[in-house]
Amino acid sequence: VQLSPPDTVLTAIGDTVRLTASALDARGQPVAKETAWISSATSVATVSAFGLVTAVSNGAATITATVDGVTASVTAVVDQAPARLAFLVQPGTTQAGIPIVPAVEVAIQDSREHVVSDLAATIAIVLESHPSGAVLSGSLSVAATNGVGRFSDLAVDRTGSGFQLAAASGGLSDAISSPFDIMSDPARIDSVKLSSTTIPIGGLGVPYTAWVVNGSGRT
């Protein structure tokens, strides 16, 4: 039995390669026989009944074809290659000088948008668009953990609309966040009175939650 292509490397989770098995008799002539396929590590790479190998996680798997009791094998190596950055958690509207919530998260992904979890890399972040001439403060460079960089203390010092963040790491293309706004401190509120304890939203008696955040970021 002959397999083609030979040993192969898949660089993204979900990448595929189709293997072809050729069964030959003792004289080297092709024999039409059914082929059975098996993977030694289905957690790394699976193989279909038609020889289609699919990457599942980083590692190596031996793919074996059996024809009439005769076998042949190749090795499929899954080794994710970083291809892009992406914002997993986008910045939200926040007050000036207060850490952006929720904490911004940026992932290193392969070409199929799966996180490259075993890569140790540093991700840097800057203000890509700052219409008010604002300055971004906080930890502007973090080490990725399991392929994700978490920025928990970013803050913008001026109010404005249409801010955007840009993330960069090594030779990867920058990722640009969704636009967000920075608002001024709200007026002091000493008490809150609700007209009703329930408001029908999409149906009678559906519960809801309301909250007020002060200038110190406290609820």
Side-chain angles (χ1 to χ4, degrees):
V1 177
Q2 296 179 346
L3 290 182
S4 62
D7 296 350
T8 187
V9 177
L10 303 172
T11 59
I13 303 303
D15 270 359
T16 61
V17 61
R18 185 175 294 280
L19 300 179
T20 302
S22 300
L24 307 176
D25 62 19
R27 296 185 177 184
Q29 298 301 310
V31 177
K33 292 281 187 176
E34 184 176 350
T35 303
W37 298 90
I38 190 170
S39 168
S40 66
T42 55
S43 61
V44 173
T46 60
V47 60
S48 73
F50 305 100
L52 182 67
V53 178
T54 303
V56 177
S57 66
N58 289 321
T62 300
I63 308 299
T64 301
T66 301
V67 180
D68 201 21
V70 181
T71 64
S73 300
V74 296
T75 300
V77 175
V78 182
D79 185 13
Q80 282 179 287
R84 64 194 295 272
L85 294 174
F87 280 84
L88 291 187
V89 179
Q90 297 282 352
T93 296
T94 310
Q95 298 168 39
I98 300 298
I100 295 173
V101 290
V104 174
E105 293 185 1
V106 179
I108 301 170
Q109 299 180 334
D110 62 25
S111 60
R112 289 182 176 266
E113 301 183 7
H114 293 278
V115 176
V116 184
S117 59
D118 61 351
L119 180 66
T122 298
I123 301 174
I125 205 160
V126 297
L127 269 178
E128 171 71 12
S129 176
H130 41 95
S132 62
V135 174
L136 181 69
S137 62
S139 301
L140 305 183
S141 181
V142 301
T145 301
N146 296 325
V148 178
R150 190 172 190 271
F151 298 84
S152 60
D153 61 352
L154 299 177
V156 179
D157 67 343
R158 296 187 185 182
T159 62
S161 299
F163 290 96
Q164 285 181 291
L165 300 177
S169 180
L172 301 178
S173 299
D174 292 358
I176 307 299
S177 75
S178 299
F180 62 99
D181 300 335
I182 297 296
M183 63 183 181
S184 60
D185 292 343
R188 177 184 176 91
I189 298 178
D190 294 308
S191 65
V192 176
K193 181 179 180 181
L194 299 178
S195 60
S196 172
T197 57
T198 59
I199 295 178
I201 302 175
L204 295 177
V206 177
Y208 72 97
T209 300
W211 65 92
V212 178
V213 179
N214 65 16
S216 298
R218 295 181 179 275
T219 300

mmCIF file of all heavy atoms in Angstrom, residues 103-141:
data_model
loop_
_atom_site.group_PDB
_atom_site.id
_atom_site.type_symbol
_atom_site.label_atom_id
_atom_site.label_comp_id
_atom_site.label_asym_id
_atom_site.label_seq_id
_atom_site.Cartn_x
_atom_site.Cartn_y
_atom_site.Cartn_z
ATOM 1 N N ALA A 103 -12.722 44.200 31.139
ATOM 2 C CA ALA A 103 -11.303 44.172 30.789
ATOM 3 C C ALA A 103 -11.140 43.700 29.350
ATOM 4 O O ALA A 103 -11.746 42.714 28.931
ATOM 5 C CB ALA A 103 -10.554 43.250 31.745
ATOM 6 N N VAL A 104 -10.328 44.433 28.601
ATOM 7 C CA VAL A 104 -10.118 44.121 27.182
ATOM 8 C C VAL A 104 -9.274 42.852 27.052
ATOM 9 O O VAL A 104 -8.282 42.680 27.764
ATOM 10 C CB VAL A 104 -9.430 45.298 26.473
ATOM 11 C CG1 VAL A 104 -9.085 44.932 25.036
ATOM 12 C CG2 VAL A 104 -10.328 46.525 26.506
ATOM 13 N N GLU A 105 -9.646 41.962 26.136
ATOM 14 C CA GLU A 105 -8.894 40.738 25.891
ATOM 15 C C GLU A 105 -8.594 40.612 24.398
ATOM 16 O O GLU A 105 -9.480 40.799 23.566
ATOM 17 C CB GLU A 105 -9.653 39.503 26.378
ATOM 18 C CG GLU A 105 -9.816 39.453 27.894
ATOM 19 C CD GLU A 105 -10.467 38.169 28.372
ATOM 20 O OE1 GLU A 105 -10.770 37.298 27.512
ATOM 21 O OE2 GLU A 105 -10.663 38.022 29.590
ATOM 22 N N VAL A 106 -7.318 40.297 24.101
ATOM 23 C CA VAL A 106 -6.871 40.148 22.717
ATOM 24 C C VAL A 106 -6.256 38.758 22.562
ATOM 25 O O VAL A 106 -5.437 38.329 23.383
ATOM 26 C CB VAL A 106 -5.831 41.213 22.347
ATOM 27 C CG1 VAL A 106 -5.362 41.032 20.900
ATOM 28 C CG2 VAL A 106 -6.416 42.610 22.537
ATOM 29 N N ALA A 107 -6.663 38.037 21.524
ATOM 30 C CA ALA A 107 -6.187 36.669 21.301
ATOM 31 C C ALA A 107 -5.271 36.588 20.093
ATOM 32 O O ALA A 107 -5.420 37.340 19.123
ATOM 33 C CB ALA A 107 -7.365 35.720 21.106
ATOM 34 N N ILE A 108 -4.304 35.674 20.180
ATOM 35 C CA ILE A 108 -3.472 35.308 19.034
ATOM 36 C C ILE A 108 -4.132 34.102 18.391
ATOM 37 O O ILE A 108 -4.373 33.087 19.050
ATOM 38 C CB ILE A 108 -2.042 34.967 19.474
ATOM 39 C CG1 ILE A 108 -1.415 36.166 20.197
ATOM 40 C CG2 ILE A 108 -1.182 34.566 18.282
ATOM 41 C CD1 ILE A 108 -0.105 35.851 20.876
ATOM 42 N N GLN A 109 -4.458 34.206 17.108
ATOM 43 C CA GLN A 109 -5.223 33.160 16.440
ATOM 44 C C GLN A 109 -4.484 32.598 15.236
ATOM 45 O O GLN A 109 -3.607 33.259 14.660
ATOM 46 C CB GLN A 109 -6.580 33.699 15.993
ATOM 47 C CG GLN A 109 -7.468 34.191 17.123
ATOM 48 C CD GLN A 109 -8.800 34.719 16.618
ATOM 49 O OE1 GLN A 109 -8.920 35.161 15.481
ATOM 50 N NE2 GLN A 109 -9.823 34.662 17.476
ATOM 51 N N ASP A 110 -4.848 31.376 14.860
ATOM 52 C CA ASP A 110 -4.329 30.804 13.620
ATOM 53 C C ASP A 110 -5.177 31.283 12.447
ATOM 54 O O ASP A 110 -6.082 32.123 12.617
ATOM 55 C CB ASP A 110 -4.264 29.268 13.698
ATOM 56 C CG ASP A 110 -5.638 28.618 13.893
ATOM 57 O OD1 ASP A 110 -6.656 29.230 13.518
ATOM 58 O OD2 ASP A 110 -5.695 27.483 14.414
ATOM 59 N N SER A 111 -4.925 30.752 11.269
ATOM 60 C CA SER A 111 -5.608 31.244 10.071
ATOM 61 C C SER A 111 -7.098 30.925 10.055
ATOM 62 O O SER A 111 -7.848 31.510 9.276
ATOM 63 C CB SER A 111 -4.954 30.666 8.810
ATOM 64 O OG SER A 111 -5.023 29.251 8.816
ATOM 65 N N ARG A 112 -7.538 30.014 10.938
ATOM 66 C CA ARG A 112 -8.961 29.676 11.018
ATOM 67 C C ARG A 112 -9.609 30.259 12.273
ATOM 68 O O ARG A 112 -10.679 29.804 12.697
ATOM 69 C CB ARG A 112 -9.148 28.154 10.972
ATOM 70 C CG ARG A 112 -8.854 27.556 9.599
ATOM 71 C CD ARG A 112 -9.098 26.049 9.610
ATOM 72 N NE ARG A 112 -8.911 25.474 8.288
ATOM 73 C CZ ARG A 112 -9.872 25.275 7.406
ATOM 74 N NH1 ARG A 112 -11.109 25.609 7.713
ATOM 75 N NH2 ARG A 112 -9.630 24.734 6.229
ATOM 76 N N GLU A 113 -8.961 31.249 12.876
ATOM 77 C CA GLU A 113 -9.499 32.014 13.999
ATOM 78 C C GLU A 113 -9.614 31.199 15.284
ATOM 79 O O GLU A 113 -10.454 31.486 16.136
ATOM 80 C CB GLU A 113 -10.854 32.649 13.636
ATOM 81 C CG GLU A 113 -10.767 33.584 12.441
ATOM 82 C CD GLU A 113 -12.078 34.271 12.112
ATOM 83 O OE1 GLU A 113 -13.038 34.135 12.893
ATOM 84 O OE2 GLU A 113 -12.139 34.963 11.071
ATOM 85 N N HIS A 114 -8.756 30.196 15.440
ATOM 86 C CA HIS A 114 -8.672 29.456 16.698
ATOM 87 C C HIS A 114 -7.491 29.997 17.505
ATOM 88 O O HIS A 114 -6.421 30.289 16.940
ATOM 89 C CB HIS A 114 -8.480 27.961 16.448
ATOM 90 C CG HIS A 114 -9.658 27.304 15.801
ATOM 91 N ND1 HIS A 114 -10.764 26.882 16.517
ATOM 92 C CD2 HIS A 114 -9.916 27.002 14.504
ATOM 93 C CE1 HIS A 114 -11.646 26.342 15.693
ATOM 94 N NE2 HIS A 114 -11.159 26.410 14.463
ATOM 95 N N VAL A 115 -7.662 30.131 18.816
ATOM 96 C CA VAL A 115 -6.612 30.669 19.671
ATOM 97 C C VAL A 115 -5.405 29.738 19.660
ATOM 98 O O VAL A 115 -5.537 28.520 19.812
ATOM 99 C CB VAL A 115 -7.118 30.859 21.113
ATOM 100 C CG1 VAL A 115 -5.995 31.332 22.026
ATOM 101 C CG2 VAL A 115 -8.267 31.856 21.143
ATOM 102 N N VAL A 116 -4.202 30.325 19.488
ATOM 103 C CA VAL A 116 -2.952 29.562 19.554
ATOM 104 C C VAL A 116 -2.540 29.536 21.022
ATOM 105 O O VAL A 116 -1.822 30.403 21.504
ATOM 106 C CB VAL A 116 -1.859 30.191 18.676
ATOM 107 C CG1 VAL A 116 -0.602 29.326 18.674
ATOM 108 C CG2 VAL A 116 -2.363 30.384 17.245
ATOM 109 N N SER A 117 -3.019 28.536 21.740
ATOM 110 C CA SER A 117 -2.938 28.548 23.201
ATOM 111 C C SER A 117 -1.562 28.246 23.760
ATOM 112 O O SER A 117 -1.273 28.570 24.915
ATOM 113 C CB SER A 117 -3.947 27.550 23.787
ATOM 114 O OG SER A 117 -3.677 26.252 23.298
ATOM 115 N N ASP A 118 -0.675 27.635 22.974
ATOM 116 C CA ASP A 118 0.631 27.266 23.511
ATOM 117 C C ASP A 118 1.729 28.246 23.108
ATOM 118 O O ASP A 118 2.917 27.941 23.223
ATOM 119 C CB ASP A 118 1.015 25.850 23.076
ATOM 120 C CG ASP A 118 1.124 25.710 21.555
ATOM 121 O OD1 ASP A 118 0.744 26.665 20.845
ATOM 122 O OD2 ASP A 118 1.582 24.653 21.093
ATOM 123 N N LEU A 119 1.342 29.433 22.654
ATOM 124 C CA LEU A 119 2.320 30.424 22.213
ATOM 125 C C LEU A 119 2.596 31.437 23.305
ATOM 126 O O LEU A 119 1.674 32.038 23.865
ATOM 127 C CB LEU A 119 1.809 31.144 20.960
ATOM 128 C CG LEU A 119 2.737 32.219 20.376
ATOM 129 C CD1 LEU A 119 4.019 31.583 19.846
ATOM 130 C CD2 LEU A 119 2.041 32.992 19.271
ATOM 131 N N ALA A 120 3.882 31.630 23.644
ATOM 132 C CA ALA A 120 4.283 32.658 24.608
ATOM 133 C C ALA A 120 4.670 33.908 23.819
ATOM 134 O O ALA A 120 5.661 33.912 23.097
ATOM 135 C CB ALA A 120 5.451 32.170 25.455
ATOM 136 N N ALA A 121 3.867 34.952 23.920
ATOM 137 C CA ALA A 121 4.120 36.178 23.161
ATOM 138 C C ALA A 121 3.637 37.377 23.950
ATOM 139 O O ALA A 121 2.828 37.258 24.869
ATOM 140 C CB ALA A 121 3.425 36.116 21.798
ATOM 141 N N THR A 122 4.151 38.544 23.587
ATOM 142 C CA THR A 122 3.743 39.795 24.216
ATOM 143 C C THR A 122 2.835 40.564 23.276
ATOM 144 O O THR A 122 3.102 40.664 22.082
ATOM 145 C CB THR A 122 4.970 40.657 24.570
ATOM 146 O OG1 THR A 122 5.788 39.948 25.510
ATOM 147 C CG2 THR A 122 4.546 41.977 25.186
ATOM 148 N N ILE A 123 1.748 41.081 23.819
ATOM 149 C CA ILE A 123 0.796 41.867 23.036
ATOM 150 C C ILE A 123 0.810 43.298 23.560
ATOM 151 O O ILE A 123 0.716 43.523 24.770
ATOM 152 C CB ILE A 123 -0.623 41.283 23.143
ATOM 153 C CG1 ILE A 123 -0.646 39.828 22.649
ATOM 154 C CG2 ILE A 123 -1.616 42.122 22.335
ATOM 155 C CD1 ILE A 123 -1.974 39.135 22.841
ATOM 156 N N ALA A 124 0.948 44.251 22.656
ATOM 157 C CA ALA A 124 0.944 45.675 23.019
ATOM 158 C C ALA A 124 -0.326 46.322 22.505
ATOM 159 O O ALA A 124 -0.894 45.896 21.496
ATOM 160 C CB ALA A 124 2.168 46.374 22.439
ATOM 161 N N ILE A 125 -0.771 47.375 23.199
ATOM 162 C CA ILE A 125 -2.016 48.034 22.823
ATOM 163 C C ILE A 125 -1.845 49.543 22.875
ATOM 164 O O ILE A 125 -1.120 50.072 23.733
ATOM 165 C CB ILE A 125 -3.175 47.560 23.736
ATOM 166 C CG1 ILE A 125 -4.527 47.709 23.044
ATOM 167 C CG2 ILE A 125 -3.155 48.262 25.085
ATOM 168 C CD1 ILE A 125 -5.616 46.863 23.651
ATOM 169 N N VAL A 126 -2.457 50.241 21.923
ATOM 170 C CA VAL A 126 -2.371 51.702 21.843
ATOM 171 C C VAL A 126 -3.734 52.242 21.431
ATOM 172 O O VAL A 126 -4.616 51.490 21.006
ATOM 173 C CB VAL A 126 -1.310 52.176 20.815
ATOM 174 C CG1 VAL A 126 0.083 51.725 21.228
ATOM 175 C CG2 VAL A 126 -1.655 51.666 19.415
ATOM 176 N N LEU A 127 -3.893 53.562 21.556
ATOM 177 C CA LEU A 127 -5.077 54.224 21.024
ATOM 178 C C LEU A 127 -4.885 54.412 19.527
ATOM 179 O O LEU A 127 -4.003 55.146 19.086
ATOM 180 C CB LEU A 127 -5.286 55.576 21.704
ATOM 181 C CG LEU A 127 -6.155 55.619 22.959
ATOM 182 C CD1 LEU A 127 -6.197 57.035 23.512
ATOM 183 C CD2 LEU A 127 -7.564 55.118 22.692
ATOM 184 N N GLU A 128 -5.714 53.755 18.744
ATOM 185 C CA GLU A 128 -5.637 53.887 17.291
ATOM 186 C C GLU A 128 -6.333 55.161 16.850
ATOM 187 O O GLU A 128 -5.872 55.870 15.962
ATOM 188 C CB GLU A 128 -6.293 52.668 16.630
ATOM 189 C CG GLU A 128 -6.474 52.777 15.127
ATOM 190 C CD GLU A 128 -5.166 52.695 14.378
ATOM 191 O OE1 GLU A 128 -4.140 52.328 14.993
ATOM 192 O OE2 GLU A 128 -5.166 52.992 13.165
ATOM 193 N N SER A 129 -7.454 55.455 17.461
ATOM 194 C CA SER A 129 -8.230 56.650 17.140
ATOM 195 C C SER A 129 -8.536 57.382 18.437
ATOM 196 O O SER A 129 -9.084 56.803 19.372
ATOM 197 C CB SER A 129 -9.529 56.247 16.432
ATOM 198 O OG SER A 129 -10.339 57.376 16.181
ATOM 199 N N HIS A 130 -8.136 58.642 18.520
ATOM 200 C CA HIS A 130 -8.376 59.423 19.742
ATOM 201 C C HIS A 130 -8.773 60.837 19.334
ATOM 202 O O HIS A 130 -7.954 61.760 19.300
ATOM 203 C CB HIS A 130 -7.143 59.432 20.656
ATOM 204 C CG HIS A 130 -5.839 59.596 19.937
ATOM 205 N ND1 HIS A 130 -5.216 60.805 19.772
ATOM 206 C CD2 HIS A 130 -5.049 58.676 19.343
ATOM 207 C CE1 HIS A 130 -4.091 60.638 19.106
ATOM 208 N NE2 HIS A 130 -3.967 59.358 18.834
ATOM 209 N N PRO A 131 -10.033 60.997 19.005
ATOM 210 C CA PRO A 131 -10.512 62.277 18.466
ATOM 211 C C PRO A 131 -10.308 63.463 19.392
ATOM 212 O O PRO A 131 -10.238 64.598 18.934
ATOM 213 C CB PRO A 131 -12.004 62.009 18.227
ATOM 214 C CG PRO A 131 -12.344 60.850 19.101
ATOM 215 C CD PRO A 131 -11.114 60.010 19.136
ATOM 216 N N SER A 132 -10.189 63.244 20.688
ATOM 217 C CA SER A 132 -10.031 64.373 21.610
ATOM 218 C C SER A 132 -8.585 64.577 22.040
ATOM 219 O O SER A 132 -8.303 65.346 22.944
ATOM 220 C CB SER A 132 -10.909 64.135 22.854
ATOM 221 O OG SER A 132 -10.488 62.968 23.533
ATOM 222 N N GLY A 133 -7.632 63.880 21.404
ATOM 223 C CA GLY A 133 -6.243 63.994 21.800
ATOM 224 C C GLY A 133 -5.978 63.348 23.143
ATOM 225 O O GLY A 133 -5.068 63.739 23.880
ATOM 226 N N ALA A 134 -6.756 62.343 23.480
ATOM 227 C CA ALA A 134 -6.659 61.696 24.789
ATOM 228 C C ALA A 134 -5.431 60.792 24.864
ATOM 229 O O ALA A 134 -4.803 60.449 23.865
ATOM 230 C CB ALA A 134 -7.922 60.884 25.057
ATOM 231 N N VAL A 135 -5.092 60.411 26.100
ATOM 232 C CA VAL A 135 -3.950 59.540 26.358
ATOM 233 C C VAL A 135 -4.453 58.256 27.015
ATOM 234 O O VAL A 135 -5.288 58.293 27.927
ATOM 235 C CB VAL A 135 -2.919 60.231 27.271
ATOM 236 C CG1 VAL A 135 -1.807 59.264 27.658
ATOM 237 C CG2 VAL A 135 -2.341 61.463 26.578
ATOM 238 N N LEU A 136 -3.931 57.130 26.558
ATOM 239 C CA LEU A 136 -4.268 55.831 27.134
ATOM 240 C C LEU A 136 -3.238 55.471 28.189
ATOM 241 O O LEU A 136 -2.028 55.545 27.945
ATOM 242 C CB LEU A 136 -4.284 54.760 26.041
ATOM 243 C CG LEU A 136 -4.641 53.332 26.467
ATOM 244 C CD1 LEU A 136 -6.106 53.248 26.878
ATOM 245 C CD2 LEU A 136 -4.363 52.354 25.317
ATOM 246 N N SER A 137 -3.695 55.077 29.367
ATOM 247 C CA SER A 137 -2.784 54.699 30.449
ATOM 248 C C SER A 137 -3.099 53.283 30.915
ATOM 249 O O SER A 137 -4.099 52.689 30.530
ATOM 250 C CB SER A 137 -2.909 55.672 31.617
ATOM 251 O OG SER A 137 -4.225 55.645 32.159
ATOM 252 N N GLY A 138 -2.228 52.770 31.786
ATOM 253 C CA GLY A 138 -2.390 51.411 32.292
ATOM 254 C C GLY A 138 -1.290 50.518 31.765
ATOM 255 O O GLY A 138 -0.276 50.994 31.228
ATOM 256 N N SER A 139 -1.453 49.214 31.895
ATOM 257 C CA SER A 139 -0.484 48.238 31.379
ATOM 258 C C SER A 139 -0.711 48.085 29.884
ATOM 259 O O SER A 139 -1.634 47.399 29.456
ATOM 260 C CB SER A 139 -0.652 46.894 32.095
ATOM 261 O OG SER A 139 -0.462 47.033 33.484
ATOM 262 N N LEU A 140 0.154 48.729 29.094
ATOM 263 C CA LEU A 140 -0.045 48.773 27.640
ATOM 264 C C LEU A 140 0.624 47.610 26.927
ATOM 265 O O LEU A 140 0.519 47.493 25.703
ATOM 266 C CB LEU A 140 0.480 50.097 27.085
ATOM 267 C CG LEU A 140 -0.090 51.366 27.721
ATOM 268 C CD1 LEU A 140 0.461 52.605 27.019
ATOM 269 C CD2 LEU A 140 -1.617 51.357 27.668
ATOM 270 N N SER A 141 1.310 46.746 27.659
ATOM 271 C CA SER A 141 1.956 45.577 27.082
ATOM 272 C C SER A 141 1.848 44.431 28.084
ATOM 273 O O SER A 141 2.255 44.582 29.243
ATOM 274 C CB SER A 141 3.427 45.870 26.767
ATOM 275 O OG SER A 141 4.054 44.751 26.183
#
